[in-house]
């Protein structure tokens, strides 16, 4: 074979290769010589790799693709600032004594009495004339689904679990008025005494919603708005226009 033949064979093969690599389908990249260099093998949690581009991967089909998120990660709830701040990890730690009794898997523990410190925590979910109805409606539903079997629909501590004798020692909310919102949250979140932790059952926004609900069970006027006063109770609400407050005091 002489040089000319080699050159013409090379030219022909390169031309054939180039022409073949094009495709008339505008959505197709054509012939791919090294697909794993531009197709990322990265595992994406919500992608089902059981079927890729018409090809079936029997080994990975029907496997769990979404992985359990690590402890302490923040769920994504849109871009609403208040919504996001309610979902940040709870700053208060569980007491070391809770570790075995209340299933504190993955929680940070401390010997400090954070329950007492939680007395200073305010409910970050503020009631306004616009949102109170929705908050109490949701709070009632959450309470009926998660708490009333022990605490009773009226919060008097006489739920069906108490009445049929399978549980004891549930307090009447009327006797818990001294507890601050922050302490209610702490006890619901980590549990207390014979009550288990609810941190894995309901989220923080839901717990703060239930805290409002407990307050309205304790005081039927709690969170009631009318046209003259912004709220019938002494609860301070962030969104009260300043003028209204000043008028009230004069
Ligand atoms: C399995 C029964 C049971 C369930 C379910 C339950 N509780 Fe309790 N709860 C108790 C008992 C028992 C106590 C008394 C704990 C103690 O003081 O030792 C208690 C105490 C409380 C207290 C007082 C905490 C404190 O700091 O003194 C609050 C507030 C409370 N529960 C709210 C709730 C809410 C809200 C729910 C639903 C999300 C709920 N509980 C679900 C049994 C239960």
């Amino acid at each position: 074979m002489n040089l000319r033949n080699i050159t013409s064979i090379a030219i022909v093969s390169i031309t054939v290769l180039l022409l073949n690599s094009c495709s008339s389908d505008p959505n197709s990249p054509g012939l791919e010589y090294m697909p794993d260099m531009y197709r990322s093998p990265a595992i994406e949690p919500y992608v089902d790799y059981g079927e890729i581009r018409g090809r079936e991967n029997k080994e990975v089909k029907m496997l769990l693709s979404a992985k359990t998120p690590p402890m302490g990660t923040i769920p994504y709830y849109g871009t609403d600032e208040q919504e996001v701040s309610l979902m940040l990890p709870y700053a208060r730690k569980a007491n070391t004594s809770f570790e075995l009794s209340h299933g504190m898997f993955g929680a940070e523990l401390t010997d400090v009495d954070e329950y007492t410190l939680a007395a200073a925590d305010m409910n970050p979910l503020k009631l306004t004339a616009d949102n109170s109805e929705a908050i109490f409606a949701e709070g009632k539903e959450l309470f009926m689904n998660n708490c009333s079997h022990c605490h009773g629909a009226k919060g008097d501590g006489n739920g069906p679990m108490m009445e049929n004798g399978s549980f004891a020692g549930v307090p009447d909310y009327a006797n818990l008025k001294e507890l601050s919102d922050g302490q209610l949250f702490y006890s619901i979140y980590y549990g207390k005494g014979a009550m288990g932790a609810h941190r894995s059952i309901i989220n923080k926004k839901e717990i703060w919603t239930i805290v409002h609900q407990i307050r309205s069970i304790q005081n039927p006027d709690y969170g009631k708005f009318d046209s003259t006063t912004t709220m019938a109770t002494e609860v301070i609400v962030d969104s009260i226009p300043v003028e209204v407050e000043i008028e009230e005091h004069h």
Side-chain angles (χ1 to χ4, degrees), residues 90-125:
Y90 183 40
R92 301 251 169 245
K93 295 182 183 126
N95 199 271
T96 319
S97 64
F98 284 30
E99 189 173 11
L100 295 176
S101 55
H102 290 78
M104 289 296 118
F105 169 74
E108 273 191 76
L109 301 167
T110 178
D111 287 327
V112 178
D113 182 5
E114 294 253 3
Y115 173 67
T116 301
L117 296 176
D121 300 346
M122 310 263 272
N123 192 335
L125 185 64

Side-chain angles (χ1 to χ4, degrees), residues 43-49 65-67 69:
I43 296 300
E44 293 172 50
Y46 294 104
V47 174
D48 180 7
Y49 287 96
S65 58
K67 304 295 177 206

Side-chain angles (χ1 to χ4, degrees), residues 28-117:
S28 164
L31 192 62
E32 293 179 12
Y33 301 108
M34 290 158 207
D36 36 344
M37 287 189 70
Y38 19 84
R39 310 253 147 224
S40 162
I43 296 300
E44 293 172 50
Y46 294 104
V47 174
D48 180 7
Y49 287 96
E51 197 177 323
I52 308 170
R53 303 163 89 210
R55 184 167 51 93
E56 197 176 271
N57 281 325
K58 285 231 168 62
E59 335 70 75
V60 292
K61 212 171 177 184
M62 307 305 285
L63 283 181
L64 178 77
S65 58
K67 304 295 177 206
T68 313
M71 283 300 289
T73 45
I74 304 162
Y76 178 73
Y77 279 90
T79 50
D80 183 282
E81 214 173 290
Q82 199 196 23
E83 200 95 332
V84 172
S85 70
L86 280 166
M87 291 303 160
L88 294 174
Y90 183 40
R92 301 251 169 245
K93 295 182 183 126
N95 199 271
T96 319
S97 64
F98 284 30
E99 189 173 11
L100 295 176
S101 55
H102 290 78
M104 289 296 118
F105 169 74
E108 273 191 76
L109 301 167
T110 178
D111 287 327
V112 178
D113 182 5
E114 294 253 3
Y115 173 67
T116 301
L117 296 176

Side-chain angles (χ1 to χ4, degrees), residues 4-250:
R4 247 180 85 194
N5 279 348
I6 295 176
T7 317
S8 42
I9 287 172
I11 290 174
V12 167
S13 359
I14 288 169
T15 318
V16 166
L17 202 60
L18 284 176
L19 287 177
N20 267 325
S21 49
C22 303
S23 157
S24 57
D25 178 359
N27 291 323
S28 164
L31 192 62
E32 293 179 12
Y33 301 108
M34 290 158 207
D36 36 344
M37 287 189 70
Y38 19 84
R39 310 253 147 224
S40 162
I43 296 300
E44 293 172 50
Y46 294 104
V47 174
D48 180 7
Y49 287 96
E51 197 177 323
I52 308 170
R53 303 163 89 210
R55 184 167 51 93
E56 197 176 271
N57 281 325
K58 285 231 168 62
E59 335 70 75
V60 292
K61 212 171 177 184
M62 307 305 285
L63 283 181
L64 178 77
S65 58
K67 304 295 177 206
T68 313
M71 283 300 289
T73 45
I74 304 162
Y76 178 73
Y77 279 90
T79 50
D80 183 282
E81 214 173 290
Q82 199 196 23
E83 200 95 332
V84 172
S85 70
L86 280 166
M87 291 303 160
L88 294 174
Y90 183 40
R92 301 251 169 245
K93 295 182 183 126
N95 199 271
T96 319
S97 64
F98 284 30
E99 189 173 11
L100 295 176
S101 55
H102 290 78
M104 289 296 118
F105 169 74
E108 273 191 76
L109 301 167
T110 178
D111 287 327
V112 178
D113 182 5
E114 294 253 3
Y115 173 67
T116 301
L117 296 176
D121 300 346
M122 310 263 272
N123 192 335
L125 185 64
K126 300 293 177 204
L127 282 180
T128 66
D130 293 334
N131 70 14
S132 66
E133 212 173 298
I135 287 184
F136 289 127
E138 201 199 333
K140 183 163 191 196
E141 194 180 335
L142 287 165
F143 181 78
M144 291 310 288
N145 292 344
N146 296 287
C147 325
S148 65
H149 50 290
C150 287
H151 285 274
K154 297 193 191 89
D156 56 7
N158 290 317
M161 296 273 283
M162 290 277 280
E163 288 186 329
N164 69 19
S166 44
F167 216 80
V170 182
D172 182 346
Y173 285 152
N175 299 328
L176 300 178
K177 289 182 184 169
E178 304 294 303
L179 294 177
S180 79
D181 286 357
Q183 285 174 309
L184 296 183
F185 184 96
Y186 189 94
S187 292
I188 300 167
Y189 192 81
Y190 288 126
K192 192 189 182 203
M195 174 169 78
H198 288 85
R199 66 195 180 112
S200 60
I201 302 169
I202 39 182
N203 67 35
K204 291 178 214 65
K205 189 185 177 194
E206 289 168 330
I207 298 181
W208 286 121
T209 304
I210 298 178
V211 167
H212 282 307
Q213 184 62 22
I214 294 176
R215 291 303 183 209
S216 80
I217 291 173
Q218 290 173 329
N219 170 9
D221 286 336
Y222 175 82
K224 290 253 167 73
F225 293 83
D226 63 40
S227 51
T228 49
T229 53
T230 36
M231 206 193 231
T233 63
E234 70 282 8
V235 175
I236 301 143
V237 177
D238 268 354
S239 55
I240 296 176
V242 178
E243 301 83 3
V244 177
E245 272 207 311
I246 292 166
E247 271 171 30
E248 290 282 314
H249 293 295
H250 280 281

